[in-house]
Amino acid sequence: MKQTPRKKAEIVLPMIVILIFLLIWYSITYFKLVPAYQMPGIADVAKSFKEEVMAGRLANDVIASMWRVTVGFVISAILGIPAGLWLGQHTRLRYALTPMFNFFRFLSPLAWIPFAILWFHIGDKPAVFLIFMATFFPLAMSTMTAVASIPSIYFRVAKDYNYKGTELLTKVTFPAVLPQIITAMRVSYGIAWVVIVAAEMVGCQDGLGYGIWDARNGLRLDTAVTYMVIIGVLGMLMDRLLSQLTKLRNVRWGYER
Amino acid sequence: MKQTPRKKAEIVLPMIVILIFLLIWYSITYFKLVPAYQMPGIADVAKSFKEEVMAGRLANDVIASMWRVTVGFVISAILGIPAGLWLGQHTRLRYALTPMFNFFRFLSPLAWIPFAILWFHIGDKPAVFLIFMATFFPLAMSTMTAVASIPSIYFRVAKDYNYKGTELLTKVTFPAVLPQIITAMRVSYGIAWVVIVAAEMVGCQDGLGYGIWDARNGLRLDTAVTYMVIIGVLGMLMDRLLSQLTKLRNVRWGYER
Amino acid sequence: LRFHPWSQKSAVADKKDVVHEGPNNDARRSLTVGYLPVTCHLTCPVTDFASKTTKTSTNFNSQRFTDFPTVVDALKAKQVQATFMIAPLAMKLREDGAPVKICYLGHRDGSEIIIRKDIQATSLRDLKGKTLALPSFYSNQNLVIHKLMEDQGMQPNDINFVILPPPDMPTSLAAKAIDGYFVGEPHCAKAELLGIGKVLYLARDIWPNFVSCVLVVHEDLIKEKPDVVKDLVRGIAESGKWAEDHRAEAAKLAAPYFRQDQKVLNYVLTSSPHRVSYAQLTPTDAEFQQIQDMAIKMGILKKRLPISDYMDRDFIPQTIVAAPIPVDKIPDKN
Amino acid sequence: MNDSKQTTLEAEKVSHNYGDIHVLENLNFKVNPGELVTIVGPSGCGKTTLLNILSGHLRPVGGKVISNGIIRTVYQQDGLFPWLTVGENISMGLRSMSEQERQKELDELIKLIHLEGFKDHYPHELSGGMRQRAEIARALAGESDILLMDEPFSALDYQTRLRMRRELVRLLALRQRTVIFVTHDIEEAAQLADRVFVLSKRPATISREFIIRSPKPRNLTDNAVIAAMKAILSQLGLQPWDGNTSHIFDENSKTN
Amino acid sequence: MNDSKQTTLEAEKVSHNYGDIHVLENLNFKVNPGELVTIVGPSGCGKTTLLNILSGHLRPVGGKVISNGIIRTVYQQDGLFPWLTVGENISMGLRSMSEQERQKELDELIKLIHLEGFKDHYPHELSGGMRQRAEIARALAGESDILLMDEPFSALDYQTRLRMRRELVRLLALRQRTVIFVTHDIEEAAQLADRVFVLSKRPATISREFIIRSPKPRNLTDNAVIAAMKAILSQLGLQPWDGNTSHIFDENSKTN
Ligand SMILES: Nc1ncnc2c1ncn2[C@@H]1O[C@H](COP(=O)(O)OP(=O)(O)OP(=O)(O)O)[C@@H](O)[C@H]1O
Ligand SMILES: Nc1ncnc2c1ncn2[C@@H]1O[C@H](COP(=O)(O)OP(=O)(O)OP(=O)(O)O)[C@@H](O)[C@H]1O
Ligand SMILES: [Mg+2]
Ligand SMILES: [Mg+2]
């Protein structure tokens, strides 16, 4: 019953904030508070948006980037979450591999580019590889940390009821950290989107990240901003989708308030 | 009493893993399992490491990058954590600003580069700005999520004892999410290191990220790997330092096991 | 906020990969000039070195960048007021209304079409259906290769073009991700030295007196400090003349600036005088007219501008003598 | 201390439900200043819910609560802040005091709950009963007008429980407070209460209300206590009532 | 069911300490198969610690535990899995059964704990007592040989508590199990136990051990129960003992 006004607030309030933001942007460019070359105006951005749509490029770029992000992210979720669960459960393994994982966690996708090319050539594959490299380690690490801080009582109960191996993993460890895994997935999904710009540096001929490079190469700040806006909005929407996971009944306990 | 063997395991086991890793690397290059240009050998990397050290560049690069990462990260911690606490506590504010924050969270530092230069010129400032932009939003978002899932009982108790405003924030909300903030800081510190490569694209003349660009432009894969190794190792060490925070007595409860 | 906690050491830091012994104390003025570590921009570090080792009135500090868009942003923000840049991009910048002028050239030739060693090809036509990498749509390489395709009766989409950052080109070629590329040195020599690529065309085979990069100067600087600009253009001209005749020394000089392998640079500069040249750096109208025409045809530029609109020849010296660089002062960093 | 007379705590037609589950049904009562009311009733009938409504943490679906004064609650679940030591937890209510006074008060409270030596321990290093005692001390520390106690002695051994009852009565005599005390221990309810509310099964109503007029502290063997226990047990259907009302006043009986 | 005879549970010179805090001091005992031992002792003396050691979750600093058989524990803190419904939680011990059998058993258990209609609720939607009951049902579900119960009825009202005691005795008659039952309710200890361990203050030792030989189920008014209560109370120093040992066998008395 209380859902409806809450839902409304969830939509209306952000709208207001966005409007205020647009207004500030508009005033800055309208009153020339900063030189024009420092900040493209809304009108320019809208115009270049229209151009891109008309050229049919935009839809294609969106699909291409979504595809790369999704594939890379899904692969790292499929590998990273189980890896994190597994490492979290085995103390010695965790000690052994944490530094290694941490090491790789700190490496920029930009630094991986030459290797991406050497191993995966150009096109979609290196982009997917870069997204994978950027999201796998944070996801595994967060899952691992979450597992390591599961209240010990749950493991005691699990032991009492003879949960072992895979069953322990799927019936106890996984659901116990699911709320945190969802949060970690949202964070790493963010990283995946952030990396798309670096990933599409590598010989891609389409995609939103490529669009930004292209715009920069073409000295079109307005087009670059258009692509930034699209990346931001798409990411936002996808995050909204992911956040629906927090409404699952068996994770509600993790978001108590 | 049980600390000592555990400490030992924490050091010995990773060593073993690293040795195995180096061995695999060595064998791959030694037995020429992949062509030399695809993977520089350990010897080459060691040589270029020595070169960089001899040239006195390395120490300077390390200091420069550490400085930029630290400044950017500290600024975003100083702003992001309070922002997250504050947003987490006010439901309407959270609804209002989450989409905006999410939007910015998905933007690549690479996309911000033009603005970094136009607004902050070249040198340290744009690099710090890029690191800030990359870490502020994840940090604020994680803090916010953590606050939103504080068990309501703590807020009830706080209300009973008349904790309000700043006192509520510093005495209840903050300590209640401190364990998660520490985790979030470790994750975003990782992001800060990852971004250093992009950040030092912006007209820096030193730094580890710049070193990687330089190595690539200089067609020196071995030097690039040297810098990658240094970035990874430094990040690892700094994470080790940050992880000491989890040993504080008043956060132990959050890492129960 | 202090951004340089190590200011104590900054003097040392400035020196770290610079081969001279510090700024020329006689010179009262100084100017930062942007460049990328490619041989097309070789005259920039040479001028830097020359300004500090010979008697000049301006200290030129060369600042290395990683890519052109960043250079452009730095120029717009007036963080550098003079820089080397690919010619069509400079024209585009001018067309967009940025207050910049082309004052001089950086080099002649200096680019090659490199193909994989195992590809049997003698002309562009043999590359039909293959993938060729270019550094940017706004590069002269892009314009020229399309011109060449047209000349050889090919359709624009007979070859797959991909845009790649030049440092990734040899890597991509080695991985067989691409079949060839057209870019400035030393990225071509690298592939040759690695034994993975061979030269299909030198730039001069396609277009005699090819230019890809020009010297771009902010108009404010031209207005406020014409003497400095004059010094700069003369410095580049004299450096060019010196480099033309001291190729091995130039490679040795530039290697630490570029932070590149001296062997590769040496190969570029000395293996054949046809690879790159630093003579005749005075631009002609015809050349630029031709570049502009091609760019308009490619849709890179919108409208034809009078040459004088983006070119400023006022600073080009009448007589050019080689810079008296003390060869013995070039340290051997390798 | 003199302002405690103005303390009010009143429920007017309070009803509550969680989704389909009706928990409270039209509760009406007024607690007199300084009175100690114990609430007994079957598990899951809505006692905790009622306390949450009285303290204002939960908005009732129907009706309203009128209260005035500082409210402290001893929660049924663990309500100690895990990031504070026992001493810091107890000091939460003593923030307005001077450092010296606070130390004195704190030491006294720690002695009261028999946790000497555990002042600097964190809650997760304590046993269940020790945590509960710390929570009681926290609620008792400093000034408050209304105490809501949700099964506060449930994890304590019999001896400690007797002691805590005595101490509670002693402290309330020193500093008057209005107390609502939920318990499953009928002996406890009878020994401590000025008034006993017997709640029915969910949806809870007050099925019976007893007034116990005997002075405190009371002994377990006092006639009033024994009579009250019998009355409560009979109301809960556990014992036939022998009808001895000499010490018990049955008020407002509304068996539903 | 016949294998329960082989169940062993034995503590040999068990000692434990957390850092400086000595908790258990040289405990020696052997629980007979099918026996129900209740443990009473002051809050914080180490009862929970002892159970953790018996179940193998905690390694004692000194001595050892010999046990054989499937152990189930009712924890003092909330031990229900918050991500499972009440029904799923209870079914944890029933995984080896067929779907049909499981449903039947589950329905029976839910009826036993009076949580009809809450099968699909999550623990955080239950009251404290309801959660405790669900946990009891979970421990009772399926095959097990040893039950460790840490104040299992502490959050229940008197009536439910009586009922749960009855049910426990009934179930144990149907399916023999060795039970260690920690409680603060002396009545409960006396009514349920075959043997009572009275623990001393920290560091805990068994200060006294009583054997109650009366058959079960017992009434609260049975002489054996009353005698046992008196004996325990006196050992705890709460009542002088009148020395009536007709139903109580005082064994192994080692007052320290
Ligand atoms: N994790 C821990 N770290 C340090 N000390 C602990 C820890 N757990 C228990 N203790 C200490 O051990 C002692 C015994 O605790 P335990 O929980 O066994 O008591 P208990 O007999 O179960 O008490 P209660 O009846 O209150 O539940 C207590 O003094 C407590 O302070
Ligand atoms: N958050 C919740 N969501 C849904 N139902 C709830 C919630 N909290 C309590 N309930 C329901 O409300 C009823 C009353 O709960 P409450 O905690 O008030 O009982 P109680 O009288 O305190 O019981 P106990 O003596 O066991 O603590 C229970 O049936 C429970 O299922
Ligand atoms: Mg309750
Ligand atoms: Mg206990």
Side-chain angles (χ1 to χ4, degrees):
Chain A
M1 286 141 279
K2 277 182 171 173
Q3 208 60 359
T4 331
R6 195 181 135 173
K7 271 243 169 90
K8 225 165 136 189
E10 270 191 73
I11 291 168
V12 173
L13 291 174
M15 287 291 169
I16 296 173
V17 173
I18 288 168
L19 277 181
I20 293 174
F21 177 81
L22 291 178
L23 209 74
I24 292 175
W25 183 8
Y26 183 76
S27 337
I28 288 178
T29 48
Y30 184 80
F31 296 111
K32 301 223 164 43
L33 298 182
V34 300
Y37 70 84
Q38 282 199 5
M39 199 187 268
I42 293 186
D44 300 336
V45 172
K47 203 170 127 242
S48 93
F49 179 78
K50 213 178 117 201
E51 256 172 48
E52 299 294 314
V53 174
M54 295 308 238
R57 273 195 295 265
L58 203 59
N60 184 52
D61 284 346
V62 167
I63 293 169
S65 287
M66 291 268 270
W67 168 250
R68 287 169 198 142
V69 166
T70 308
V71 172
F73 181 69
V74 166
I75 295 176
S76 66
I78 288 174
L79 297 178
I81 294 172
L85 290 174
W86 186 62
L87 285 178
Q89 250 180 19
H90 295 86
T91 319
R92 308 191 125 250
L93 219 62
R94 191 163 76 243
Y95 288 153
L97 291 179
T98 307
M100 204 73 208
F101 269 53
N102 260 329
F103 177 85
F104 284 107
R105 187 158 68 91
F106 291 106
L107 294 181
S108 170
L110 291 170
W112 282 114
I113 285 182
F115 298 98
I117 296 175
L118 285 172
W119 300 335
F120 296 97
H121 304 165
I122 57 177
D124 282 350
K125 271 187 262 171
V128 168
F129 168 74
L130 292 178
I131 288 170
F132 170 79
M133 287 304 278
T135 50
F136 174 82
F137 296 101
L139 205 47
M141 288 290 296
S142 304
T143 309
M144 198 181 87
T145 317
V147 171
S149 63
I150 294 177
S152 56
I153 182 127
Y154 297 145
F155 285 109
R156 292 184 183 188
V157 172
K159 200 177 149 206
D160 282 353
Y161 290 87
N162 202 27
Y163 283 97
K164 274 190 208 137
T166 323
E167 207 178 10
L168 182 67
L169 213 66
T170 55
K171 298 281 174 63
V172 182
T173 317
F174 180 66
V177 293
L178 192 53
Q180 280 139 291
I181 287 183
I182 292 174
T183 303
M185 275 172 63
R186 291 173 68 179
V187 170
S188 12
Y189 191 78
I191 298 178
W193 266 115
V194 163
V195 168
I196 192 73
V197 181
E200 289 180 346
M201 233 173 143
V202 189
C204 286
Q205 299 303 303
D206 51 10
L208 299 166
Y210 175 75
I212 287 186
W213 287 113
D214 206 35
R216 282 197 67 203
N217 274 320
L219 310 181
R220 294 285 305 267
L221 215 50
D222 51 347
T223 313
V225 171
T226 305
Y227 276 98
M228 282 167 81
V229 169
I230 292 163
I231 288 179
V233 169
L234 274 182
M236 230 166 75
L237 294 178
M238 291 300 297
D239 186 70
R240 195 80 173 229
L241 265 184
L242 273 180
S243 80
Q244 294 305 312
L245 288 177
T246 62
K247 304 215 167 117
L248 289 176
R249 279 198 76 200
N250 59 346
V251 301
R252 281 307 317 150
W253 62 274
Y255 312 99
E256 203 175 328
R257 205 169 147 211
Chain B
M1 284 141 277
K2 279 181 170 175
Q3 210 60 359
T4 331
R6 195 180 136 175
K7 271 244 170 86
K8 225 166 141 188
E10 270 190 72
I11 291 168
V12 174
L13 291 175
M15 287 290 170
I16 295 174
V17 173
I18 288 168
L19 277 181
I20 293 174
F21 178 81
L22 290 178
L23 209 73
I24 293 175
W25 183 8
Y26 183 75
S27 340
I28 288 178
T29 48
Y30 184 80
F31 296 110
K32 300 223 165 42
L33 299 183
V34 300
Y37 64 83
Q38 282 203 6
M39 198 187 266
I42 293 187
D44 300 335
V45 172
K47 199 169 133 244
S48 93
F49 179 79
K50 209 180 122 201
E51 255 173 47
E52 299 295 314
V53 174
M54 293 311 239
R57 275 195 292 262
L58 202 60
N60 185 55
D61 284 345
V62 167
I63 293 169
S65 286
M66 291 268 270
W67 168 250
R68 288 171 197 139
V69 165
T70 308
V71 171
F73 181 70
V74 166
I75 294 176
S76 66
I78 287 175
L79 297 178
I81 293 172
L85 291 175
W86 187 61
L87 286 178
Q89 251 180 18
H90 295 86
T91 320
R92 311 191 123 251
L93 218 63
R94 192 163 75 242
Y95 287 154
L97 291 178
T98 307
M100 202 73 207
F101 269 53
N102 260 328
F103 177 85
F104 283 108
R105 188 157 68 91
F106 291 105
L107 295 181
S108 169
L110 291 171
W112 283 115
I113 285 181
F115 299 99
I117 299 172
L118 292 175
W119 299 338
F120 295 97
H121 305 157
I122 56 179
D124 282 349
K125 273 188 256 173
V128 168
F129 168 74
L130 291 177
I131 289 169
F132 170 79
M133 288 304 277
T135 52
F136 174 81
F137 296 101
L139 205 47
M141 287 289 297
S142 304
T143 310
M144 197 180 88
T145 317
V147 171
S149 63
I150 294 177
S152 56
I153 182 127
Y154 297 144
F155 285 110
R156 293 184 182 187
V157 173
K159 201 178 147 206
D160 282 353
Y161 291 88
N162 203 24
Y163 284 97
K164 272 189 210 138
T166 324
E167 208 180 10
L168 181 67
L169 213 65
T170 55
K171 298 282 174 62
V172 182
T173 316
F174 180 67
V177 292
L178 193 53
Q180 280 139 292
I181 286 182
I182 292 174
T183 304
M185 276 172 62
R186 290 173 68 180
V187 170
S188 10
Y189 190 78
I191 298 179
W193 267 115
V194 164
V195 168
I196 192 73
V197 180
E200 289 180 346
M201 232 173 140
V202 189
C204 288
Q205 296 302 301
D206 49 9
L208 298 167
Y210 179 74
I212 286 186
W213 286 112
D214 219 31
R216 288 188 58 201
N217 273 322
L219 315 176
R220 298 280 304 265
L221 213 51
D222 52 345
T223 314
V225 171
T226 305
Y227 276 99
M228 281 167 79
V229 169
I230 292 163
I231 288 178
V233 168
L234 274 182
M236 231 165 74
L237 293 179
M238 292 300 296
D239 185 70
R240 194 80 173 227
L241 264 185
L242 273 181
S243 81
Q244 295 304 311
L245 287 178
T246 63
K247 304 213 167 119
L248 290 176
R249 279 197 77 198
N250 59 345
V251 302
R252 281 308 315 152
W253 61 274
Y255 311 99
E256 201 175 328
R257 202 169 147 209
Chain C
L1 203 66
R2 268 192 61 162
F3 283 96
H4 287 282
W6 59 87
S7 60
Q8 188 74 53
K9 286 191 279 173
S10 72
V12 185
D14 281 345
K15 249 196 269 180
K16 68 190 181 318
D17 49 24
V18 172
V19 290
H20 53 77
E21 284 148 353
N24 177 356
N25 291 324
D26 301 338
R28 288 155 285 121
R29 308 171 297 213
S30 71
L31 180 71
T32 302
V33 186
Y35 75 103
L36 261 54
V38 289
T39 48
C40 304
H41 299 189
L42 181 87
T43 46
C44 187
V46 174
T47 308
D48 175 322
F49 188 78
S51 77
K52 286 155 191 171
T53 48
T54 61
K55 263 190 103 59
T56 52
S57 42
T58 311
N59 268 314
F60 293 107
N61 303 310
S62 51
Q63 169 147 21
R64 190 168 57 226
F65 281 89
T66 51
D67 58 338
F68 286 118
T70 305
V71 172
V72 169
D73 289 327
L75 187 63
K76 278 183 178 171
K78 284 175 75 176
Q79 290 304 297
V80 287
Q81 300 203 51
T83 182
F84 285 78
M85 188 183 288
I86 42 182
L89 193 66
M91 295 177 175
K92 164 89 175 148
L93 199 54
R94 182 68 221 183
E95 188 185 80
D96 288 350
V100 295
K101 285 256 158 71
I102 296 172
C103 291
Y104 206 48
L105 300 185
H107 67 113
R108 295 279 182 178
D109 310 327
S111 292
E112 281 112 58
I113 295 180
I114 291 281
I115 56 169
R116 257 188 11 234
K117 227 176 180 169
D118 53 342
I119 291 180
Q120 304 299 321
T122 49
S123 78
L124 208 53
R125 253 178 261 117
D126 300 331
L127 294 182
K128 208 166 180 172
K130 299 256 193 272
T131 304
L132 205 67
L134 295 171
S136 160
F137 276 121
Y138 298 89
S139 60
N140 257 2
Q141 284 89 350
N142 185 27
L143 303 183
V144 168
I145 197 160
H146 277 91
K147 168 110 192 327
L148 185 63
M149 283 170 72
E150 201 175 290
D151 292 350
Q152 299 200 0
M154 296 173 76
Q155 296 303 309
N157 52 2
D158 277 350
I159 293 176
N160 281 325
F161 289 108
V162 295
I163 302 298
L164 275 185
D168 293 329
M169 288 179 178
T171 324
S172 304
L173 194 72
K176 304 196 173 163
I178 53 175
D179 302 302
Y181 56 81
F182 185 17
V183 78
E185 289 285 13
H187 299 100
C188 304
K190 175 79 177 173
E192 269 189 279
L193 289 176
L194 274 177
I196 51 177
K198 61 185 179 193
V199 177
L200 179 65
Y201 290 106
L202 292 176
R204 60 164 55 211
D205 302 339
I206 306 170
W207 187 12
N209 283 330
F210 175 87
V211 260
S212 78
C213 292
V214 294
L215 175 70
V216 173
V217 181
H218 202 283
E219 280 184 349
D220 289 359
L221 186 72
I222 294 178
K223 263 186 239 123
E224 289 158 16
K225 297 177 180 167
D227 311 355
V228 173
V229 181
K230 204 171 179 81
D231 269 2
L232 175 63
V233 174
R234 200 186 49 243
I236 288 170
E238 293 179 351
S239 298
K241 192 158 175 69
W242 175 82
E244 188 67 23
D245 305 330
H246 297 80
R247 289 176 168 256
E249 290 84 350
K252 191 164 137 194
L253 187 157
Y257 277 95
F258 284 7
R259 273 218 227 167
Q260 281 173 350
D261 196 340
Q262 192 183 323
K263 280 199 288 291
V264 178
L265 289 177
N266 200 51
Y267 180 78
V268 173
L269 286 161
T270 59
S271 65
S272 149
H274 301 311
R275 282 185 98 106
V276 60
S277 139
Y278 301 99
Q280 290 179 271
L281 297 186
T282 305
T284 69
D285 281 6
E287 278 166 351
F288 274 78
Q289 201 57 62
Q290 203 177 352
I291 293 172
Q292 209 182 20
D293 289 345
M294 286 190 287
I296 290 170
K297 198 165 164 214
M298 290 282 295
I300 291 171
L301 296 179
K302 288 197 204 76
K303 54 183 188 290
R304 186 182 281 251
L305 292 174
I307 303 285
S308 60
D309 208 40
Y310 51 80
M311 185 88 83
D312 191 334
R313 295 172 188 279
D314 293 354
F315 304 103
I316 299 171
Q318 299 300 323
T319 52
I320 299 168
V321 292
I325 293 174
V327 172
D328 53 317
K329 275 204 183 163
I330 303 172
D332 195 347
K333 286 263 171 169
N334 270 11
Chain D
M1 295 212 179
N2 41 353
D3 62 344
S4 62
K5 277 283 160 256
Q6 293 140 23
T7 310
T8 53
L9 186 60
E10 218 178 317
E12 260 181 29
K13 295 195 188 154
V14 167
S15 302
H16 194 75
N17 57 279
Y18 296 103
D20 292 342
I21 301 172
H22 265 264
V23 179
L24 301 176
E25 183 81 32
N26 195 26
L27 291 185
N28 285 292
F29 59 83
K30 190 169 180 320
V31 184
N32 302 319
E35 197 181 18
L36 193 156
V37 172
T38 59
I39 295 181
V40 298
S43 167
C45 73
K47 302 178 294 297
T48 301
T49 305
L50 177 60
L51 291 196
N52 281 335
I53 289 172
L54 287 178
S55 62
H57 293 310
L58 195 67
R59 270 262 293 284
V61 170
K64 68 172 177 191
V65 163
I66 303 157
S67 76
N68 176 17
I70 298 173
I71 302 182
R72 295 277 155 82
T73 309
V74 178
Y75 292 92
Q76 190 177 10
Q77 326 144 249
D78 260 344
L80 294 175
F81 286 165
W83 55 88
L84 297 181
T85 62
V86 170
E88 290 165 348
N89 261 296
I90 297 176
S91 303
M92 279 170 62
L94 306 174
R95 280 170 297 153
S96 52
M97 290 185 178
S98 75
E99 179 57 32
Q100 216 177 5
E101 270 186 307
R102 182 163 56 231
Q103 276 310 326
K104 203 173 133 265
E105 180 87 14
L106 180 60
D107 289 340
E108 252 168 46
L109 282 164
I110 285 189
K111 205 178 285 164
L112 174 81
I113 55 167
H114 261 324
L115 282 188
E116 296 96 340
F118 287 92
K119 199 167 98 178
D120 295 329
H121 281 61
Y122 283 88
H124 66 98
E125 298 168 336
L126 301 184
S127 80
M130 290 158 86
R131 278 202 292 272
Q132 205 172 37
R133 282 181 274 158
E135 203 157 346
I136 295 165
R138 185 174 71 174
L140 291 173
E143 294 299 295
S144 63
D145 306 309
I146 300 173
L147 274 182
L148 305 177
M149 307 180 87
D150 200 353
E151 309 184 23
F153 303 157
S154 66
L156 304 182
D157 60 296
Y158 192 62
Q159 198 171 356
T160 311
R161 195 180 293 214
L162 290 179
R163 194 182 123 85
M164 292 307 299
R165 287 185 209 159
R166 268 199 313 275
E167 295 291 350
L168 181 64
V169 171
R170 185 175 67 81
L171 287 172
L172 289 176
L174 288 177
R175 162 79 169 84
Q176 209 190 344
R177 282 177 250 223
T178 306
V179 183
I180 307 267
F181 191 106
V182 172
T183 180
H184 288 310
D185 188 329
I186 285 145
E187 182 187 295
E188 200 161 84
Q191 195 181 7
L192 294 176
D194 295 314
R195 205 150 36 128
V196 182
F197 292 171
V198 182
L199 296 192
S200 70
K201 280 202 308 197
R202 186 162 23 84
T205 54
I206 300 179
S207 74
R208 204 117 179 199
E209 197 178 318
F210 299 107
I211 297 180
I212 308 174
R213 289 250 167 84
S214 156
K216 289 187 265 187
R218 299 175 191 143
N219 259 325
L220 277 177
T221 46
D222 283 0
N223 288 334
V225 175
I226 292 170
M229 279 179 71
K230 283 186 181 162
I232 299 166
L233 284 171
S234 93
Q235 174 58 29
L236 292 170
L238 289 163
Q239 249 180 34
W241 195 6
D242 56 11
N244 176 2
T245 51
S246 58
H247 305 275
I248 309 293
F249 298 81
D250 182 1
E251 252 189 27
N252 244 342
S253 148
K254 12 173 185 167
T255 331
N256 61 336
Chain E
M1 295 208 180
N2 41 354
D3 61 345
S4 61
K5 277 282 161 259
Q6 294 141 22
T7 310
T8 53
L9 186 61
E10 219 179 315
E12 260 182 30
K13 294 194 188 156
V14 167
S15 302
H16 195 75
N17 57 278
Y18 296 103
D20 292 341
I21 301 172
H22 264 264
V23 179
L24 300 177
E25 182 79 33
N26 194 26
L27 290 186
N28 285 291
F29 59 83
K30 189 170 179 321
V31 184
N32 302 319
E35 197 181 17
L36 193 157
V37 172
T38 59
I39 295 182
V40 297
S43 168
C45 74
K47 302 179 294 297
T48 301
T49 305
L50 178 59
L51 291 197
N52 281 336
I53 289 172
L54 289 178
S55 61
H57 293 310
L58 195 69
R59 271 262 294 282
V61 171
K64 68 171 176 193
V65 163
I66 303 156
S67 76
N68 175 17
I70 299 173
I71 302 183
R72 294 279 154 82
T73 309
V74 178
Y75 292 92
Q76 190 175 10
Q77 324 145 250
D78 259 344
L80 293 176
F81 285 166
W83 55 88
L84 297 181
T85 61
V86 171
E88 290 165 347
N89 261 296
I90 297 175
S91 304
M92 280 170 61
L94 306 174
R95 281 170 297 154
S96 52
M97 290 184 179
S98 75
E99 181 55 32
Q100 216 178 3
E101 270 185 308
R102 182 161 57 229
Q103 276 310 325
K104 203 172 132 265
E105 180 88 14
L106 179 59
D107 289 341
E108 251 168 47
L109 282 163
I110 286 190
K111 205 179 285 163
L112 174 81
I113 55 168
H114 262 323
L115 282 188
E116 296 95 340
F118 287 92
K119 199 169 100 178
D120 296 329
H121 281 61
Y122 283 88
H124 65 99
E125 298 167 337
L126 301 184
S127 81
M130 289 157 85
R131 277 202 292 273
Q132 205 172 36
R133 282 181 275 157
E135 204 157 346
I136 295 165
R138 184 174 71 174
L140 291 172
E143 296 298 296
S144 62
D145 306 308
I146 300 172
L147 274 183
L148 304 177
M149 307 180 88
D150 200 353
E151 308 184 24
F153 303 157
S154 65
L156 304 182
D157 60 294
Y158 193 61
Q159 199 171 355
T160 311
R161 197 181 291 216
L162 290 180
R163 194 182 121 85
M164 292 306 300
R165 287 185 208 158
R166 268 200 313 275
E167 295 290 350
L168 181 64
V169 171
R170 184 176 66 82
L171 287 173
L172 289 176
L174 287 177
R175 162 79 169 85
Q176 211 190 343
R177 281 177 251 225
T178 305
V179 184
I180 307 268
F181 190 107
V182 171
T183 180
H184 288 310
D185 188 331
I186 285 145
E187 182 187 294
E188 200 161 84
Q191 194 182 8
L192 294 176
D194 296 314
R195 206 152 33 130
V196 181
F197 291 172
V198 182
L199 295 192
S200 68
K201 282 203 304 195
R202 186 162 23 86
T205 54
I206 300 179
S207 73
R208 204 113 177 205
E209 196 177 319
F210 299 107
I211 297 180
I212 308 175
R213 290 249 167 85
S214 156
K216 288 187 266 185
R218 299 175 190 143
N219 260 324
L220 277 177
T221 46
D222 283 1
N223 288 334
V225 175
I226 292 171
M229 278 179 69
K230 284 188 181 159
I232 299 167
L233 284 171
S234 93
Q235 175 58 30
L236 292 170
L238 291 163
Q239 249 180 31
W241 195 6
D242 57 12
N244 175 1
T245 50
S246 60
H247 304 275
I248 307 294
F249 297 82
D250 182 0
E251 250 188 29
N252 242 343
S253 149
K254 9 174 185 173
T255 331
N256 61 332

